[in-house]
Amino acid sequence: MVRFLHSADLHLGKPFGSMPDELRGRLREARHTVLDRLAAQARTAAAETILLAGDVFDTETPSPAVLRQALAAMAGHDGVRWILLPGNHDSLAAEALWAGLATSRPANVVLATEPAPLRLADDVVLLPAPCTTRRPGRDLTEWLDGAATPPGTIRIGFAHGAVQSFSEDGGAGDVIAPDRATRAGLDYLALGDWHGQMRIGPRTWYSGAPEPDRFKHDASGRALLVTIPAAGTEPVVEPIETGSFDWRTLVLDCLAGDEPGAHLAALLPAGPARRQTLLRILATGRTRPPARARLEADIKAIAPEFALLQLEAQELVTECESEDLDRIDHAGALRHAADMLLAESRDDGRSSGEREVAREALMRLFSYCATAS
């Protein structure tokens, strides 16, 4: 039997440049401390090996601090063996990175930099397919089909890349055969690249990122605990929680005449978990300017309790009537501008994009006047 932890896509050193200044440092630190959480989960499950299936580092040139602190964190967990695979963000094209790792790695860190069998135990072999460049242009796992191992050996494939061309980077030229595990007689194929956890088949999984870094996958960070009882048997795969931040997208569906703020309150998580939650509210449907303004005010008031709380209202249609314009002004230049924007927002001769721009401009004018009054 063999038991190990499967993870990938740590992206240590990711700058999070689009995030607020006060949040960037917290997100970077969470990526570093996930190494400790992975090791703790491995010890709890009596798993001696952690497979990191590519993109351990966010770039081919991580800073000396990122690199040395990561190695120190791994070295600090006696009894845990870390196996690092080059991914597309930290490929073998980064010769200085992997040469430096080879000379400075602690004894419990193994580099899977060669497409050659790597023996984990007497009857367990790891078959790595390291990324040679960011876009190798071919299926690097093809060599696994002809990799010979003694009878009764547990065969574990280890790769980073897209299956069915859904790569995180949108590339379609480096597709890994979805049936590679069957073709190569693998007991398990550990994949990285897709940041959400995904089962491709009973023997092929993406672990997902152990600490999320975007709203795309709408899930907490996880890894996989994999147990293979014997060669040829189906692996037992168990998702385990590893993330410290929770990235969520919630849909707020609005109806004209409703008060969206009341629906918002029912959606939001409560308690201290808010500090570790990055939440995106997707507002859809229809509303009136006063209700829209109150919704934006509610979001602004509650946002400091969250790591991040943002409203995306591109799909929310703000319907304005004449009485709403009276809140802007009854006459004068502002009212004239409001009347023009309302007319443009209803003009079927204009494109939908132009009508939406007019609606948003009218909403901004309404909000400005409401604040000023």
Side-chain angles (χ1 to χ4, degrees):
M1 185 196 80
V2 63
R3 177 176 292 148
F4 56 90
L5 217 60
H6 168 200
S7 187
D9 299 290
L10 278 68
H11 287 272
L12 298 174
K14 186 178 178 72
F16 292 100
S18 64
M19 290 295 174
D21 291 345
E22 64 272 16
L23 182 56
R24 292 176 195 169
R26 294 179 62 204
L27 293 174
R28 288 194 294 267
E29 180 64 12
R31 309 205 76 70
H32 175 76
T33 56
V34 79
L35 292 166
D36 295 329
R37 295 192 293 279
L38 286 168
Q41 291 283 16
R43 285 194 299 271
T44 298
E48 297 180 353
T49 299
I50 299 176
L51 301 182
L52 298 181
D55 287 358
V56 176
F57 301 100
D58 189 56
T59 71
E60 295 181 341
T61 55
S63 70
V66 168
L67 185 62
R68 295 183 64 176
Q69 289 172 19
L71 293 178
M74 295 178 196
H77 295 285
D78 292 333
V80 174
R81 173 175 52 181
W82 307 80
I83 303 184
L84 280 55
L85 180 79
N88 61 333
H89 279 254
D90 52 8
S91 74
L92 287 172
E95 296 179 3
L97 168 62
W98 292 98
L101 285 169
T103 58
S104 60
R105 65 178 179 84
N108 65 335
V109 172
V110 177
L111 307 181
T113 54
E114 298 288 338
L118 184 66
R119 188 163 296 279
L120 302 185
D122 289 342
D123 57 352
V124 182
V125 167
L126 185 68
L127 303 173
C131 283
T132 53
T133 64
R134 188 175 181 88
R135 302 190 188 282
R138 60 190 177 88
D139 182 353
L140 296 171
T141 66
E142 287 182 352
W143 83 271
L144 276 60
D145 294 2
T149 54
T153 298
I154 294 176
R155 293 164 58 89
I156 302 169
F158 194 30
H160 185 95
V163 171
Q164 297 180 352
S165 72
F166 54 63
S167 169
E168 289 289 333
D169 291 327
D174 313 320
V175 177
I176 295 171
D179 61 347
R180 179 62 65 201
T182 301
R183 292 190 195 185
L186 303 178
D187 294 287
Y188 185 78
L189 177 54
L191 294 176
D193 184 44
W194 188 247
H195 288 200
Q197 203 164 86
M198 183 180 294
R199 178 184 185 271
I200 303 301
R203 300 179 185 275
T204 303
W205 283 76
Y206 283 96
S207 65
E211 183 67 43
D213 61 359
R214 65 194 71 181
F215 288 109
K216 182 175 182 177
H217 300 290
D218 202 27
S220 58
R222 294 187 293 175
L224 293 170
L225 177 64
V226 182
T227 304
I228 306 174
T233 61
E234 188 169 308
V236 178
V237 183
E238 305 172 58
I240 57 172
E241 299 292 328
T242 55
S244 62
F245 281 94
D246 196 13
W247 297 60
R248 293 288 174 182
T249 299
L250 299 177
V251 176
L252 177 65
D253 194 19
C254 304
L255 296 174
D258 278 1
E259 188 57 53
H263 298 300
L264 174 69
L267 281 178
L268 296 179
R274 290 180 171 183
R275 186 175 185 274
Q276 296 299 115
T277 300
L278 292 88
L279 188 58
R280 179 175 62 172
I281 303 295
L282 297 183
T284 64
R286 298 177 180 276
T287 189
R288 297 278 294 276
R292 165 81 176 263
R294 287 192 293 271
L295 173 62
E296 292 178 349
D298 289 344
I299 292 283
K300 184 177 181 180
I302 200 70
E305 297 183 18
F306 289 82
L308 182 72
L309 178 62
Q310 62 186 39
L311 174 67
E312 295 192 6
Q314 296 91 332
E315 301 299 321
L316 179 62
V317 177
T318 304
E319 297 178 330
C320 193
E321 302 297 339
S322 296
E323 57 266 32
D324 296 319
L325 300 188
D326 290 339
R327 294 171 178 259
I328 296 174
D329 206 344
H330 291 279
L334 286 178
R335 179 55 182 262
H336 178 66
D339 286 334
M340 289 182 60
L341 290 171
L342 179 59
E344 290 177 10
S345 72
R346 295 174 172 177
D347 185 358
D348 292 335
R350 296 177 179 272
S351 69
S352 60
E354 289 174 327
R355 294 196 301 271
E356 178 60 25
V357 168
R359 280 194 293 266
E360 285 300 310
L362 184 57
M363 186 62 220
R364 287 178 180 269
L365 181 59
F366 181 92
S367 299
Y368 171 79
C369 292
T371 302
S373 61

